């Protein structure tokens, strides 16, 4: 999910909404009963950016890959097509970043982390087993960096 409200930022800017850039997710769930479900989430993001002169003789290149696997419990509220949900999700994350300038690597790092997120949201069932939803989440995580 995309950070909905950024309260703690290091840019000295006011909090704001962010719906454009993000970390899209694919989720699946197994309903235990009408009021609860087990859910899994996978997110993969790849970014490749290059800045420099038009002839690319003086450039900086940034390549980043993020992977997220989550598994959790979801409680349900409501019985109609529109339902609320809430719960907890445990996650494992991995990240790899490589920065180069003029074909020389100046920053190459990776990390492996784990965390737990709380979430809440609303879901609209288009068909009995097909839905769209929106959610807000927040949590804590711990990552171990590995510089190369």
């Amino acid at each position: 999910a995309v950070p909905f409200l950024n309260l703690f930022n290091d840019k000295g800017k006011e909090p704001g909404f962010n719906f454009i850039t993000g970390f899209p997710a694919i989720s699946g769930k197994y309903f235990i009963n009408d009021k609860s479900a087990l859910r899994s989430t996978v997110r993969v993001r790849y970014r490749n950016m290059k800045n420099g002169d038009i002839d690319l003789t003086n450039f900086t290149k940034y390549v980043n890959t993020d992977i997220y696997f989550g598994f959790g419990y979801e409680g349900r509220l409501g019985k109609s097509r529109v339902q609320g949900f809430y719960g907890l999700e445990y996650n494992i994350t991995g990240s790899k970043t490589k920065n180069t300038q003029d074909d020389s690597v100046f920053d190459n790092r990776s990390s492996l982390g784990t965390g737990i997120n709380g979430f809440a949201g609303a879901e609209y069932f288009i068909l009995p087993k097909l839905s769209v939803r929106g959610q807000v989440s927040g949590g804590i995580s711990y990552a171990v960096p590995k510089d190369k």
Side-chain angles (χ1 to χ4, degrees):
V2 177
F4 179 69
L5 182 60
N6 185 3
L7 295 175
F8 306 103
N9 63 48
D10 60 353
K11 307 288 187 223
K13 296 180 182 177
E14 68 281 348
F17 295 98
N18 182 354
F19 292 110
I20 298 170
T21 61
F23 202 176
I26 296 174
S27 297
K29 59 181 91 174
Y30 173 76
F31 283 92
I32 299 168
N33 56 42
D34 289 343
K35 297 289 184 186
S36 60
L38 298 176
R39 72 185 230 163
S40 61
T41 305
V42 176
R43 297 179 182 154
V44 178
R45 175 173 53 188
Y46 178 77
R47 294 179 284 182
N48 186 350
M49 296 177 274
K50 192 179 279 190
N51 295 317
D53 298 335
I54 293 173
D55 61 0
L56 295 179
T57 56
N58 183 18
F59 67 91
T60 302
K61 184 177 179 182
Y62 169 83
V63 179
N64 172 254
T65 304
D66 296 314
I67 299 172
Y68 173 105
F69 298 104
F71 183 76
Y73 173 82
E74 181 176 293
R76 314 282 306 172
L77 301 169
K79 293 183 178 181
S80 65
R81 285 184 176 234
V82 179
Q83 296 183 12
F85 62 89
Y86 61 91
L88 289 173
E89 184 172 81
Y90 171 75
N91 63 64
I92 297 173
T93 60
S95 179
K96 184 174 183 177
T97 303
K98 182 178 181 181
N99 291 304
T100 58
Q101 185 164 7
D102 298 328
D103 293 326
S104 300
V105 176
F106 68 88
D107 187 16
N108 193 8
R109 58 196 148 121
S110 62
S111 66
L112 184 63
T114 186
I116 190 163
N117 294 329
F119 59 87
E123 186 167 24
Y124 176 75
F125 284 87
I126 300 165
L127 298 171
K129 294 187 179 185
L130 180 66
S131 66
V132 292
R133 68 178 178 186
Q135 76 174 36
V136 293
S137 65
I140 59 172
S141 62
Y142 177 74
V144 178
K146 182 178 179 185
D147 293 336
K148 294 182 181 180

